[in-house]
Structures are given as structure tokens and as C-alpha cells.
Amino acid sequence: MSADSWHIGRAAAPGLACGPLFRLPATDVPQRQRGSAAEETAALRAAIAAAIAEIEMLQLSAGAEAAEILEFQIAMLGDDALTEGAFADIDGGMAADCAWRTAMDAQIADYSAASDEYFRARAGDLTDMRDRVLGHLLGIADTAPPHGAIVLAPDLAPSRFLAWDWSGGGGVALMGGSPTSHVAMLARARGVPMVVGLPPEIGRRPNAPAILLDGEGGRINLAPTPDDIRSFESRRKQAVADAQHWQQFLHRPAKTAAGHRVLTQINVAGPGELDHLDPDICDGIGLVRTEFLFHDQPTLPNEEQQLAVYRRILAWADGRPVTIRTLDAGGDKPIVGLTQDGESNPFLGLRGIRLSLAHPEIFRVQLRALARAAANGPLKIMLPMVTVPEEVLAAADLLRGEIVALGNAGIDCRPPELGIMVEVPAAALAIERFPASFFSIGSNDLTQYVTAAARDIAAVASLNDTANPAVLGLIERVAAFGKSAGKEVSLCGDAGGDPRLIPQLLATGLRNFSMAPSMLARAKATIADWSGAPS
Ligand code: PEP
Ligand code: MG
């Protein structure tokens, strides 16, 4: 392929797409004729109510994960803090559409300027809500892209993405956006290739009748040569054949070429992700990221709400082990009102277990819910970002205290196994000192701390490499300790599902990987090809 005709962005959802370009028309809207303040207030209330009703309809046909995202929009639209500015401007004499646009643009600007990628990613949801309400105020209809088209836009609202039919293929190319945005999560879940962060000037570039989008390499080609198209098509055919081959492994237990068993578990960020999955594809859930319970919620989840979610996950697992990680907020995962704002280096700040121990009143609620859920199945508790053994002892003390209190109150519970994430070099280097009953290597954070290269800074992405011998050496050390001490060691960072890294991880002695469900089939196929020595 001619490298120079490609425009480079960031890969957000894998897959290869070839199709006509569809430039999303900007919402260029006329202004509304202004009525009295009472009429404008009523018009805005009606438009917000209509937008909520429309999102609720979308929720009915959306999958569970998409429904959770739409729930966030419904909650925001119902929140006075979001709408009060617009109503105040209407009282001051503004038309409903101007008032709504002004209030929402200010919020969008705030979110877009946030230093945390998580908040920047939420700006897309706010834009979606702004345009949906404006659409109702001004009577503007949405234009759907033709089947198989590649949508090019500055950003794309999650509800707009969900409203379109992707069954005919196609893809999404965004000049803005982020791989962690809601729309990118939806694209991955629906198998729609997506590239984000493309150079803004491509919005004005001429294009051929069919363009190419490479969701693996994070790039698009607006003017492919016949040679570009031929080699892209042959890659596409190969990708389809490969996917069919990997699929044969999905329902089988993972084994190396010599027949040695390797456990393959899944990582989930919420019970919604399990709805369409068959538990037979995995040996358990190696990581539940409980941050999902705390994000985008008007209040922190109480014990009963958490208990219901943990029970739902255990019921899905049907007797397989489920490792639930206590809240890992902070760093790249801020939670409004809980994590510290303005830390000079949030990745080295009050995050993970440090934050939980600083807020025992919140941590205790989670420990109680987990101990109660443990009565329903093989639940294990895992502590994130552990740096010193004292943190494990403090968490174990709190857990013990809650179990005693539950017992005294006659509430059914079980003491779950208590393990730790190994993602801070201080833990990996002194693993023998940690009083944990199991270990799970967090290769995402371990790699960034060992290489001093942040996991979310593109400019240092080549340094942030789990294959660095220093990282692999630490992983080998932890795996060897687990073997000698008879304690389970797994790996639940992204490396565990990466076919380029799996052979090197197997060579460290690891035999237990937890990964995104979409990576399982290919990971099992990669393990089946590995002919290294038994550990
Ligand atoms: C890790 O750091 O590898 C990990 C699994 O945790 P998270 O990606 O949620 O920080
Ligand atoms: Mg981590």
C-alpha cells in the first residue's frame, strides 16, 4: 500500500472497512421565533421530555451495555444542575433554543477541556443531548448514512450511532473522539471499525468514491489507488478467514501444542457485557472492574445495589470463579466527588486501594456487599494498586470487621479469598512480603510504572511496551513465586489477550490469563500454537 495516502489517527475499534464516504452534515440550524418566557420555558421542557422519551425508546432495542450508556444521558437530562442555566437565560429574555445551546456549549467546553480523558470522552454524550433537544425544538430530522458507508465527522453521538443500521457494514472516522469514549465502546461491541483523532484537515480533503478505513492500524485512506484497494481487499479476506479459524477454539478449553492446560478467564466492566455471552467460553471471570458502579451515577451505589450486581455476575458464571476488584478509581479513572481533583500526577496519586483506605466509610459498604455476595458462589476479592503489605492487612482487617458485624446481625455472608493486583513495581519486586491468597498481574499499570511511559500518552506509546525485558522479568519473578508458594498467579492486563505477547507471557511460566471476551478465541488459538516447555 502507498503509505503516503493514509491519514493516521488512533485505533478505536478493530476491523477493516471499504465503502463510500459519508460526511456527516453539521447541525446548521435556523433560530427559533421567540415567544414569552413562559412559552419558551414550556417549549424547552417539552423538548427535553421528548428527547428523554426518544432515548428510552432507543434503550428498548439497544443491548445492555448501550442501554447503560443511554441511562447516563437520561439521568443527565433529568438533572436540574444541567438545565437550570438554560431556564435562567430564558427568564432573562433568551429564546429556548439559544438558551439551551448556550448552556450546553458551556458544559461541552468544560468537559472537552478537562485534563482527564474520561471527562473529555463524555463531551460526546453532552453534544448528543444538545443536538437531540435542539432537534425537537427546531423540528430537524436526522440523516442516516447509506448502508456500508464510512462516516466522517468531528465527533459522533452515541445515540446517533445506535440509531443507525450497521448490519450492512461500514465504519466510523472521527477527527475528534477518544478510544475510551462511549461511542468507541459501542463500536467495539457492535464490530463496527472505528478510527479517532484523525487530522482535522481531512474534513476538507477530496475523496474517491470508495475509501478505506483500517481500524487495526488507526488510519484512513481517502484516495486509494487500485493497488491500495487490491491489497486492502486481500487483507480483508484474510481477516475473515482468520476469524473463522479462531472461532473454532472459542468453546474449547485452552491448551498449548503439547496439551498443557492454560486457564483463560474474562475481564468485564459490568454485568451488561455478559448478557450475550456463553459462560462455557471461559474458565471464570478474572477481573470485574467495579468502577462502572460508581461512574456516571448521581450518588454512590449502596450495599443492596452492589449486592444485586455482584449476585447477577455470580449467577452468570454458574459456579466458575469470579474475581471482583474493589474500586480502582483515580489515575485515568476519576469519579466526580470522590477522586482528588488537580493532582499533579494522578497515576502516582491517591488511586486504587489508597483511595479506598482513605474513605473507609465507602470501602466498608463495598466489602459488606462482596462478603454477602460470596455466600452465593465462588467470589474472590482483589485489591488494586497495592504497594505495601500494610495495605493488604488494613483491608483484611476492615473485611473481617464487616463479616463479624454481618454475622452479629444474622445476615448471611462468607469470608471471600483476598488477593491483590500486582501492578506496582514495589509489589512485584517484593512479592514474598504480601499476605495475599492470590495474585493477578496488572500488566497495563505495571508496564507504565516500569517503563516510566504513561499508558494514555501516544507520544511515548512505543516505550510503553510489556515486551520490555524488565517488565517480563518482573512477571517471571511473580509467576515463579506463585509456583513455589502454591498460590495462584494470573495476568489480567491487556497483554493477556494480545497474540503478539502471549508466547512471551507463556515463556515466563504464566498459565492463567484474563482478557476482554472479544480476545478469547484468538488468544486460545495462539496458545494452541505455542510449543514451549511446560512450566
Ligand atoms: C492493569 O493495570 O493491567 C489492569 C488490569 O487494571 P486497569 O487497566 O483497570 O488499570
Ligand atoms: Mg491497573
Side-chain angles (χ1 to χ4, degrees):
M1 286 185 198
S2 52
D4 38 327
S5 46
W6 287 93
H7 300 281
I8 311 295
R10 292 171 78 187
L16 304 169
C18 171
L21 183 67
F22 180 77
R23 289 177 199 268
L24 202 59
T27 14
D28 196 5
V29 289
Q31 287 212 344
R32 195 168 172 279
Q33 198 63 33
R34 184 160 68 86
S36 68
E39 283 165 346
E40 293 304 289
T41 300
L44 182 54
R45 285 203 194 289
I48 292 172
I52 291 176
E54 211 170 65
I55 300 171
E56 283 170 349
M57 286 302 290
L58 269 178
Q59 255 187 329
L60 294 178
S61 55
E65 190 185 2
E68 280 170 22
I69 289 170
L70 295 172
E71 191 60 50
F72 165 70
Q73 294 200 4
I74 293 170
M76 288 288 280
L77 279 171
D79 184 352
D80 289 345
L82 184 82
T83 53
E84 65 192 3
F87 287 114
D89 281 347
I90 290 176
D91 287 341
M94 229 185 238
D97 57 324
C98 283
W100 178 249
R101 187 188 279 281
T102 308
M104 291 301 283
D105 283 350
Q107 296 271 355
I108 293 164
D110 274 0
Y111 273 70
S112 307
S115 55
D116 284 307
E117 182 154 7
Y118 173 80
F119 286 118
R120 285 200 303 278
R122 298 291 83 77
D125 288 291
L126 291 168
T127 309
D128 192 9
M129 294 185 265
R130 179 196 67 193
D131 293 345
R132 186 171 290 281
V133 172
L134 275 178
H136 283 285
L137 277 170
L138 302 164
I140 301 165
D142 193 13
T143 334
H147 268 201
I150 294 168
V151 175
L152 177 66
D155 206 347
L156 181 62
S159 70
R160 245 174 151 189
F161 174 89
L162 285 172
W164 296 335
D165 177 8
W166 295 99
S167 59
V172 179
L174 301 179
M175 276 90 87
S178 124
T180 58
S181 66
H182 277 154
V183 73
M185 279 168 53
L186 292 172
R188 286 193 291 273
R190 305 238 153 162
V192 178
M194 180 183 282
V195 177
V196 298
L198 286 160
E201 63 273 14
I202 65 164
R204 296 182 297 277
R205 286 276 166 87
N207 62 277
I211 71 152
L212 309 177
L213 181 140
D214 174 358
E216 319 277 340
R219 55 191 193 152
I220 67 165
N221 189 332
L222 293 178
T225 62
D227 268 358
D228 286 337
I229 294 178
R230 256 192 306 279
S231 69
F232 194 78
E233 279 310 321
S234 82
R235 262 184 79 199
R236 265 220 303 186
K237 281 203 190 94
Q238 187 57 50
V240 171
D242 286 346
Q244 277 167 357
H245 169 68
W246 300 328
Q247 203 57 25
Q248 300 167 25
F249 291 85
L250 185 60
H251 288 269
R252 302 186 202 153
K255 285 188 184 155
T256 65
H260 298 290
R261 187 81 163 82
V262 175
L263 295 178
T264 46
Q265 308 190 72
I266 57 169
N267 297 346
V268 293
E273 290 178 24
L274 299 170
D275 284 353
H276 304 291
L277 283 183
D278 177 352
D280 278 346
I281 61 176
C282 66
D283 295 303
I285 303 184
L287 169 64
V288 178
R289 290 182 163 99
T290 58
E291 297 78 70
F292 76 92
L293 278 164
F294 293 75
H295 271 151
D296 304 338
Q297 307 297 331
T299 54
L300 298 177
N302 64 29
E303 187 178 321
E304 297 303 324
Q305 287 165 328
Q306 294 193 43
L307 177 61
V309 168
Y310 303 149
R311 281 184 174 153
R312 194 172 143 200
I313 296 173
L314 281 165
W316 177 89
D318 197 18
R320 293 167 187 79
V322 174
T323 304
I324 302 191
R325 182 173 72 183
T326 58
L327 179 64
D328 185 22
D332 58 338
K333 293 170 271 196
I335 291 176
V336 186
L338 182 58
T339 50
Q340 303 263 131
D341 278 342
E343 284 182 315
S344 58
N345 192 338
F347 276 124
L348 301 184
L350 196 62
R351 59 168 299 204
I353 187 67
R354 305 167 185 185
L355 185 76
S356 290
L357 291 175
H359 290 280
E361 72 291 355
I362 295 171
F363 193 31
R364 278 205 190 95
V365 175
Q366 184 165 38
L367 293 174
R368 282 171 70 89
L370 287 166
R372 287 176 66 187
N376 297 86
L379 181 153
K380 308 188 210 178
I381 299 182
M382 180 156 74
L383 307 174
M385 279 295 291
V386 171
T387 310
V388 292
E390 290 72 19
E391 290 165 325
V392 189
L393 295 173
D397 265 355
L398 287 173
L399 177 62
R400 240 187 324 273
E402 292 313 313
I403 290 173
V404 169
L406 285 166
N408 290 344
I411 299 173
D412 197 15
C413 67
R414 295 274 182 289
E417 276 189 56
L418 187 63
I420 64 167
M421 298 271 307
V422 183
E423 50 187 348
V424 175
L429 283 161
I431 194 70
E432 313 70 22
R433 298 179 58 226
F434 289 79
S437 63
F438 65 93
F439 303 98
S440 186
I441 298 170
S443 52
N444 303 337
D445 278 312
L446 186 63
T447 302
Q448 78 164 343
Y449 294 130
V450 172
T451 61
R455 57 196 276 185
D456 62 350
I457 297 182
V460 294
S462 62
L463 290 174
N464 182 291
D465 180 10
T466 302
N468 184 310
V471 181
L472 290 174
L474 282 185
I475 293 174
E476 189 166 359
R477 192 176 190 287
V478 177
F481 170 71
K483 205 169 167 208
S484 66
K487 291 190 178 180
E488 179 190 292
V489 177
S490 60
L491 183 143
C492 63
D494 290 341
D498 185 337
R500 288 163 306 182
L501 291 166
I502 287 171
Q504 300 179 66
L505 294 173
L506 286 166
T508 67
L510 279 179
R511 293 292 181 271
N512 190 337
F513 301 113
S514 193
M515 64 196 76
S518 60
M519 309 305 289
L520 266 180
R522 188 172 183 185
K524 288 184 180 185
T526 308
I527 291 167
D529 272 348
W530 189 73
S531 50
S535 95

